[in-house]
Amino acid sequence: MTGTSRRRSAGIIVGAAAALALLAGCSTPGAAPSGSATGEADSGAELTMWARNTSNNLAQQIVDAYNSSHENHIDLTIVPSDSYQQKVAAAAASNTLPDLLASDVVNSPNYVHQGLFQDITDKVKSLSFYDDLSHAHTDAASSGGKIYGTPFLVDSSLVLYNKDLFEKAGLDPEHGPANYAEILSDAKAIRKAVGGDTYGFYFGGNCPGCNAYTMFGNLAAAGDEPFEQGGAKANIDTKAMKATLDLYRDLWKSGAVPESAESEDGTNWVTAFNEGKIGILPRGSAEFALLKDATFDWGVAALPSPDGDATSAFIGGDVASISKTSQHAAEGWDFLQWTLTEANQVDVIAKNGSLPSRVDFADNEYSKQSPQAVQAIKGEATGYTPSTRGYGNAINNSNGPWLAMIRDYVFNGNDGAIREGEKKIQAAIDAAQ
């Protein structure tokens, strides 16, 4: 994948597929915004909006900043992530959707297909900073060349590494692992040099979303994106997938990974790293806040292709859209475009310690205080979000084929697991079409 490629991106949480079935009556993407009841974009209209709950309550902060600086007023409802899809499905079935929806980017292909969002293509493409947006989000919320959502919240996967442990192992602390060979050798060196309860590498061996969030960045960097044909075809049985699982198998067999990785479901994914006991951890930008007061020096590196000739990232988070039933399309767009301006991207999002969704704001006054954050923001330019309507059952399901494939290959040594995994993942995708 080249540095100019535009990739899609995704988050980790997904709801029940049954909820999406309730949307079957809405099957055509929405029309473009056609104005508003008032005819003016900021005329004091009352709008409703739903967003998923986040640990830093950032959606509420964004809406509060908009309300304090505009005549329009947005009434935001924060919905628990695990019930968001069901709530949207029920509202879509009864035509009671709010004016605005901020939804998990990995679910946006389903919502777009069901026609829940209005077409905002011309408005998005006319933005003077269009080329600087996180296009992983706009791509995931697109269909047939039409755009139905804009970046709202952004996170990015990458490699975190403990510089202190690198130094103890005789490694260059300013040079994070840049390819698979370095990941393996660095992890083994740390384990050998430090030993005890300190290990070279960690991953969530029983966590489907954890591995998608990290490995998909590696696959995208190699040019072997896991889905093709608009998300209708699984592309799992590839050289890059085999190389990735070979790396994890080698790390596991070498003893550079603690035994707890085999049962790690994501609950303690970051615990040992944050305690200074893991050398290398594929994770993401959400970890930055937890490492603010770390007792060790740490750095980040981009997720590489196997040979390190390219890098990418899984861009997660949320997209914001205008619902198909909203009578305030113009006012809704006024909010969406404002969320992409400096007033929000810098003065709210970056100030909060989160990632702006515009790469031209990478060196803003807040983010530049953290070299790790700047690197993550710049990485959005080549980021990727998997876009397929079958993502929930195919990938995020803890009993699904993606995790089963990883476990069978890495822990059980089954060389045929990737081939069989692709077939089962394809079946899950087909069932969602």
Side-chain angles (χ1 to χ4, degrees), residues 358-409:
R358 285 176 52 178
V359 296
D360 56 327
F361 286 145
D363 292 307
N364 69 78
E365 61 180 302
Y366 302 106
S367 299
K368 70 181 181 182
Q369 298 175 26
S370 167
Q372 298 93 338
V374 171
Q375 185 170 341
I377 298 166
K378 290 181 177 180
E380 293 174 23
T382 56
Y384 168 78
T385 298
S387 179
T388 178
R389 287 165 51 205
Y391 194 88
N393 281 333
I395 304 300
N396 265 351
N397 187 346
S398 59
N399 296 310
W402 164 252
L403 181 60
M405 177 193 73
I406 293 170
R407 291 181 60 81
D408 201 20
Y409 195 97

Side-chain angles (χ1 to χ4, degrees), residues 33-59:
S34 56
S36 65
T38 64
E40 298 180 16
D42 187 22
S43 57
E46 294 285 333
L47 288 82
T48 54
M49 179 177 180
W50 293 350
R52 298 187 301 152
N53 60 314
T54 57
S55 60
N56 58 5
N57 200 30
L58 187 53

Side-chain angles (χ1 to χ4, degrees), residues 25 68 130 137 146 159 176-177 190 196 213 242 261 272 288 360 372 385 397 425 429:
S68 67
Y130 173 72
H137 277 64
K146 300 293 185 180
V159 176
I190 290 168
Y213 188 54
K242 183 180 186 305
F288 293 173
D360 56 327
Q372 298 93 338
T385 298
N397 187 346
I425 290 171
I429 292 173

Side-chain angles (χ1 to χ4, degrees), residues 46-50 60 63 67 73-77 98 100:
E46 294 285 333
L47 288 82
T48 54
M49 179 177 180
W50 293 350
Q60 187 67 63
V63 169
N67 287 343
H73 183 270
I74 296 175
D75 182 11
L76 175 66
T77 298
L100 297 160

